[in-house]
Amino acid sequence: MTTIPSPAEQYAASRSRTSHPRLQAFRSGLRFDLDPFQLASCASLEEGNSVLVAAPTGAGKTIVAEFAVFLAMQEPRAKVFYTAPMKALSNQKFQELVAEYGPESVGLLTGDTNVNAQARIVVMTTEVLRNMLYADSDLLTNLAFVIMDEVHYLADRFRGAVWEEVIIHLPQSVRMIALSATVSNAEEFGDWLQAVRGGTDVIVSEERPVPLEQHVLVKSKMIDLFDSSGLGQDHRVNPELVQLARSGQRSLGDRSSSRRRGSDRGSYLDRAQADAGRMDRSEIVRMLDGKHLLPAIFFIFSRVGCDQAVRQVLRAGVRLTDAREREEIRRIVDERCRTLLDEDLGVLGYFEWLDGLERGVAAHHAGLLPAFKEVVEELFQKKLVKAVFATETLALGINMPARTVVLDKLEKFNGEARVPITPGEYTQLTGRAGRRGIDVEGHSVIQWAQGLDPQAVASLASRRTYPLNSSFKPTYNMAVNLIDQFGRERTREVLESSFAQFQADRAVVDLARKVRQQEESLAGFATSMTCHLGDFADYSSLRRSLTALERGGDGVEHASRGERERRQRELQSLRKRLKAHSCHNCPEREQHARWAERWWKLTRETDVLSRQISSRTGAIARIFDRVTDVLLGYGYLENDEAGAVRLSESGRILRRIYADRDLLVAEALRQGIWSELDPAGLAAMACALVFEPRREEGLINERYLPRGTFMPALDRTHELWSRLDDLERDNKLPGSNPLALGLSLAMWKWARGGALTDVLAEAEMAAGDFVRWTKQTIDLLDQLSVVADDPVGRTARQAMDAVRRGIVAYSSVA
């Protein structure tokens, strides 16, 4: 049946076409119509505004980014930068834009990759854009739009500050398209964007384009998480699950009582019995295949668990592909992996990996070689791989939607302990379920485990995700760049415009409101304890002092005789003063005293709030002042004739060092600590500076370190780190961890031409991890090659060439 629009709807549509002609031209080239939030976002862009778009995973936020690219390409010289938090996302977006606009119009900058940097559309990591802004790069000329994908990443405690630096320092003429998950404080973040950039509209959508059906897998039965009988309210937990949880707790209680009677194996037996009814992964894959619920992503919060799951499924003989699909898989793998050396295939697990792909099964985690991860992503998007076992890193924006998401557990190891996943993480993971334009609905499946609380799962599934909190803090490199641009005082004002300070100030407003309310209450308490005979606050203070002294007498018997006599004299004095006080004989004394106790308690609470206000007001600027003091102490900043702070010559070197250990690197260069290192030794040193070990990976015996000039240079570098660390802590800065040497010998051997098999065995590390740390080592070597004088600059260039080989040199976009 065709619905004829009303005259009002026809008029509104006509007016929209007239007022937004470029949006109408863009829509006419699409195979689908836009959702309301997409239309609103694009219309705002055409009207000349910036936008913050917060919507669920898979809702189609990137269409707004595509419209910004479309707008830029309508102008003769306008440029657009597309930033992403990870190189994998940058690579994927680069390939998509090349397919749309052609290779001549699209560039890629990711630190270790530089493709067509002068293009009209350039994809880059956020760090690259930050560095360009500080360097006032020529590439910024004619920049019209910056797209910040996954902008909620600014909450990341390690890298999040970069997003704020970019947002603060982008020229006001550049319009920004910020794409975010549905964070619970999107409006607050939008208010900050409006404050620092002006003209920003906030568009929030909480509607999933593909509805999500949520299930719990109990033994071999999929039970709906929420009541679908129609008898209960929305988001009412399925009574069948509630009953299952109760019966499970009762049976566990019975076993607990038997354990108290003498069994010391109860805990192990309980877990074994609870897990006995769980389907293994191969059975779940077969079940989902039978229900037409593939392709599926199984989220397992362990790399080892992902690899074990693939082996388990393969051992069970699962095959999800036909002959034609297997042939296509082999063709794609041969094309994508042709650059890998034959002698490396065995150590990379290539043949087992290919066997899984041909059967439609794969793992996806950070330990995989980047080439392998990219192939898995491509095959999954082409519906050739049907079951992927992945860690949660896959949920961070990579375009891999599935029909079904399976969660093995609802807790993960965070590096220190096993903790429940957050509502935001649950939303990110299950957001992969449901392919727009393909699926009518998506499905999430949680495997039942002993102790699972259906109510807790329901609250995870129905909450509006997580708040976006700033992780911004001034660094040495940031300080010298900003002081060089603005001077010290103006820099303090710039830092005060950060989202971190914006949130702190909002908190101060709330705290101040609470202080005012409590001060009103204090005034009321003071009135109620007023005594017509004298100052009851003074009398109450004496009573409190006497009570505290009397209660503090527990250890008196161990005190010296002189101490006991002193305490006794003080008690007698307080009792005498109390009895002599004018309020002591008041007939309403105890009633006044009750009000006085409330007054003292609220006064204490109000003082705490006031101290919190004091600590939060100007907090970012205070950290900046401490950073500046360290830089002045080391001579990277100096005072000019008028007393103003400016950069020294050393400061100009620090200005171009963007590593986490920026000051340590600059000072090592200034002192010539690395001048005697050969290329392999400098690569090993750079690796020690960037490597962040997982738990014990960084602890290593010195006899497992490179020989020759490396050890003296390492000793001097460590002494320098120790002095810097002491100075930072003296200035109330957090300091830094010692150099992590767990990968240095492997990097040294790799730079000397060592075989991949030997190097990975030395590193005790997966190929993907080794490639990632090697590329970060190359990033630092690249900076050294630019800022360091010879011989270090020349050695850094030689070291880059030495380590950029084999699997490290592989790039799908080069």
Side-chain angles (χ1 to χ4, degrees):
M1 184 179 75
T2 303
T3 303
I4 300 174
S6 68
E9 289 171 330
Q10 291 179 39
Y11 173 75
S14 172
R15 184 170 181 180
S16 175
R17 285 192 295 273
T18 305
S19 57
H20 299 106
R22 292 190 172 181
L23 176 54
Q24 293 309 315
F26 178 70
R27 289 173 72 180
S28 66
L30 300 174
R31 300 186 306 276
F32 53 87
D33 202 8
L34 299 181
D35 291 339
F37 87 90
Q38 294 168 326
L39 284 169
S41 304
C42 293
S44 178
L45 276 178
E46 186 167 355
E47 290 164 8
N49 301 313
S50 295
V51 292
L52 167 64
V53 184
T57 300
K61 295 186 289 291
T62 53
I63 202 75
V64 184
E66 290 169 18
F67 181 61
V69 175
F70 175 84
L71 286 177
M73 298 306 280
Q74 303 302 301
E75 303 296 332
R77 287 186 296 275
K79 293 167 68 173
V80 56
F81 288 171
Y82 196 116
T83 73
M86 295 185 297
K87 291 178 183 178
L89 293 179
S90 298
N91 290 344
Q92 189 176 73
K93 184 52 63 177
F94 171 77
Q95 291 161 346
E96 292 172 6
L97 288 167
V98 165
E100 177 73 20
Y101 291 98
E104 70 285 347
S105 297
V106 186
L108 177 68
L109 295 171
T110 61
D112 61 338
T113 302
N114 185 330
V115 178
N116 198 16
Q118 301 287 340
R120 297 268 309 276
I121 309 164
V122 185
V123 182
M124 62 187 67
T125 53
T126 319
E127 282 86 353
V128 169
L129 177 54
R130 185 271 312 269
N131 299 350
M132 288 168 60
L133 288 167
Y134 281 159
D136 196 22
S137 168
D138 292 341
L139 296 177
L140 297 168
T141 305
N142 296 319
L143 181 60
F145 297 96
V146 165
I147 298 153
M148 302 195 78
D149 204 353
E150 307 282 333
V151 75
H152 52 272
Y153 217 87
L154 69 76
D156 182 81
R157 65 193 180 101
F158 297 111
R159 298 172 56 218
V162 176
W163 272 254
E164 289 189 50
E165 290 180 74
V166 168
I167 292 167
I168 291 170
H169 299 304
L170 266 179
Q172 291 293 321
S173 59
V174 177
R175 278 181 279 164
M176 194 175 71
I177 299 89
L179 308 178
S180 171
T182 46
V183 293
S184 53
N185 60 334
E187 292 82 2
E188 178 190 40
F189 184 51
D191 288 347
W192 174 67
L193 291 175
Q194 176 72 34
V196 295
R197 301 208 52 77
T200 303
D201 282 340
V202 179
I203 293 97
V204 177
S205 172
E206 297 187 58
E207 293 297 317
R208 279 181 54 99
V210 180
L212 181 66
E213 297 292 327
Q214 306 191 68
H215 318 275
V216 177
L217 181 60
V218 183
K219 295 186 178 178
S220 60
K221 183 180 180 184
M222 274 175 53
I223 302 174
D224 290 344
L225 173 60
F226 295 109
D227 184 8
S228 57
S229 66
L231 301 175
Q233 70 273 30
D234 289 344
H235 289 97
R236 174 176 177 257
V237 177
N238 192 330
E240 185 178 356
L241 284 175
V242 176
Q243 185 59 38
L244 267 171
R246 286 174 181 161
S247 61
Q249 288 165 0
R250 281 198 298 273
S251 62
L252 186 61
D254 294 340
R255 287 195 296 275
S256 297
S257 61
S258 68
R259 188 161 63 245
R260 284 193 296 273
R261 288 193 295 268
S263 171
D264 61 356
R265 298 189 301 135
S267 177
Y268 172 79
L269 292 173
D270 290 344
R271 287 195 300 271
Q273 290 173 12
D275 292 341
R278 282 167 62 103
M279 299 175 76
D280 70 25
R281 273 77 177 248
S282 60
E283 292 173 325
I284 299 174
V285 170
R286 286 193 171 108
M287 180 196 71
L288 294 177
D289 191 26
K291 293 178 179 288
H292 305 291
L293 292 178
L294 294 180
I297 298 172
F298 293 70
F299 282 110
I300 300 171
F301 303 114
S302 151
R303 301 177 185 185
V304 173
C306 292
D307 294 333
Q308 287 175 342
V310 171
R311 286 194 287 270
Q312 184 184 62
V313 172
L314 296 184
R315 280 197 304 269
V318 171
R319 187 179 294 280
L320 305 172
T321 55
D322 57 29
R324 182 198 61 78
E325 289 172 324
R326 288 192 290 277
E327 183 179 339
E328 176 69 2
I329 288 167
R330 281 192 294 272
R331 184 191 66 77
I332 291 172
V333 171
D334 287 344
E335 183 182 330
R336 300 288 181 268
C337 299
R338 65 183 183 278
T339 59
L340 298 178
L341 302 175
D342 290 345
E343 60 264 30
D344 291 344
L345 297 181
V347 70
L348 294 173
Y350 173 85
F351 301 103
E352 183 182 22
W353 172 71
L354 178 58
D355 181 35
L357 294 179
E358 290 186 357
R359 296 209 227 163
V361 180
H364 188 290
H365 56 71
L368 277 181
L369 190 68
F372 287 7
K373 283 197 294 186
E374 290 163 11
V375 169
V376 171
E377 292 159 15
E378 181 178 353
L379 295 178
F380 195 80
Q381 289 163 12
K382 292 178 183 293
K383 305 173 199 165
L384 295 169
V385 163
K386 317 294 175 70
V388 169
F389 297 90
T391 55
E392 70 269 31
T393 53
L394 186 143
L396 287 172
I398 296 174
N399 183 26
M400 278 182 68
R403 178 164 291 172
T404 304
V405 163
V406 181
L407 296 180
D408 191 54
K409 291 185 176 70
L410 291 178
E411 61 177 21
K412 67 174 187 177
F413 186 73
N414 67 358
E416 297 175 359
R418 297 208 69 82
V419 295
I421 64 172
T422 65
E425 289 168 333
Y426 182 88
T427 302
Q428 283 280 95
L429 297 171
T430 56
R432 293 279 150 219
R435 298 164 300 173
R436 187 169 187 166
I438 301 173
D439 298 320
V440 177
E441 72 226 350
H443 297 265
S444 73
V445 179
I446 298 161
Q447 243 194 312
W448 179 269
Q450 187 65 48
L452 186 74
D453 180 0
Q455 298 286 356
V457 177
S459 68
L460 269 182
S462 54
R463 279 182 58 186
R464 186 188 171 187
T465 67
Y466 50 91
L468 182 61
N469 293 314
S470 173
S471 60
F472 183 86
K473 56 185 181 298
T475 66
Y476 298 114
N477 172 272
M478 185 193 303
V480 293
N481 271 288
L482 293 179
I483 288 172
D484 193 44
Q485 278 187 279
F486 304 117
R488 183 173 186 171
E489 290 310 310
R490 173 79 179 105
T491 293
R492 293 177 99 259
E493 295 174 17
V494 168
L495 293 176
E496 290 290 277
S497 67
S498 67
F499 186 44
Q501 191 59 53
F502 184 83
Q503 288 189 307
D505 289 343
R506 285 211 162 181
V508 164
V509 170
D510 292 337
L511 288 172
R513 185 183 302 116
K514 191 170 183 180
V515 166
R516 284 196 299 274
Q517 291 170 349
Q518 292 187 180
E519 285 173 344
E520 291 173 7
S521 298
L522 284 170
F525 294 168
T527 300
S528 298
M529 72 178 187
T530 300
C531 177
H532 66 287
L533 295 176
D535 183 352
F536 202 88
D538 180 55
Y539 178 75
S540 174
S541 177
L542 287 172
R543 278 179 61 139
R544 289 170 62 82
S545 298
L546 179 60
T547 301
L549 192 59
E550 288 173 340
R551 287 176 179 172
D554 292 343
V556 170
E557 63 273 13
H558 301 297
S560 66
R561 179 178 177 182
E563 178 64 26
R564 289 199 300 272
E565 289 178 352
R566 185 198 63 75
R567 181 177 178 280
Q568 197 59 39
R569 284 196 302 272
E570 193 172 347
L571 282 169
Q572 289 173 353
S573 173
L574 282 170
R575 287 168 182 154
K576 184 176 179 181
R577 289 170 61 194
L578 196 68
K579 288 181 180 178
H581 198 284
S582 58
C583 295
H584 187 66
N585 295 316
C586 176
E588 298 177 341
R589 184 184 69 192
E590 294 309 311
Q591 183 179 344
H592 293 330
R594 284 193 292 273
W595 284 108
E597 279 306 306
R598 295 176 191 174
W599 185 86
W600 282 111
K601 182 180 179 182
L602 193 60
T603 297
R604 190 165 58 246
E605 292 175 2
T606 305
D607 289 344
V608 169
L609 291 176
S610 297
R611 285 195 296 273
Q612 288 181 6
I613 289 173
S614 177
S615 69
R616 294 186 186 195
T617 303
I620 302 298
R622 277 199 300 276
I623 296 171
F624 166 72
D625 286 339
R626 293 167 192 161
V627 166
T628 302
D629 289 342
V630 170
L631 292 172
L632 282 165
Y634 265 86
Y636 288 90
L637 297 173
E638 59 188 16
N639 292 303
D640 63 16
E641 297 79 5
V645 174
R646 67 183 180 189
L647 267 65
S648 66
E649 283 305 309
S650 300
R652 301 201 174 279
I653 294 175
L654 177 59
R655 189 173 180 268
R656 294 182 290 166
I657 298 172
Y658 300 102
D660 285 341
R661 299 180 184 270
D662 44 14
L663 183 57
L664 178 62
V665 171
E667 193 63 10
L669 291 177
R670 186 164 73 164
Q671 295 186 22
I673 290 174
W674 302 334
S675 297
E676 301 300 318
L677 290 173
D678 61 7
L682 188 57
M685 185 67 70
C687 179
L689 291 163
V690 301
F691 181 48
E692 295 171 7
R694 301 170 70 201
R695 282 172 283 175
E696 295 84 15
E697 281 177 346
L699 304 174
I700 191 166
N701 192 300
E702 282 193 3
R703 59 195 180 92
Y704 298 115
L705 291 172
R707 300 290 94 198
T709 56
F710 180 82
M711 287 306 299
L714 176 64
D715 290 341
R716 290 184 64 191
T717 305
H718 193 271
E719 289 171 10
L720 174 59
W721 166 81
S722 183
R723 291 197 302 272
L724 285 174
D725 190 62
D726 289 343
L727 182 62
E728 286 171 333
R729 295 181 193 281
D730 289 344
N731 282 276
K732 298 181 182 178
L733 293 169
S736 60
N737 292 323
L739 275 63
L741 302 166
L743 192 54
S744 289
L745 182 58
M747 191 62 66
W748 183 77
K749 289 183 175 180
W750 179 252
R752 289 168 61 89
L756 179 64
T757 306
D758 297 337
V759 169
L760 291 183
E762 174 65 49
E764 297 182 345
M765 184 175 287
D769 290 323
F770 178 72
V771 170
R772 185 171 77 255
W773 290 120
T774 304
K775 290 199 170 186
Q776 293 202 30
T777 299
I778 290 171
D779 282 351
L780 179 53
L781 289 170
D782 190 26
Q783 293 182 50
L784 294 178
S785 74
V786 174
V787 303
D789 295 331
D790 289 339
V792 175
R794 180 177 63 249
T795 306
R797 290 187 286 276
Q798 295 168 345
M800 287 168 61
D801 292 339
V803 297
R804 193 189 277 128
R805 64 180 181 87
I807 61 170
V808 177
Y810 172 86
S811 173
S812 62
V813 296

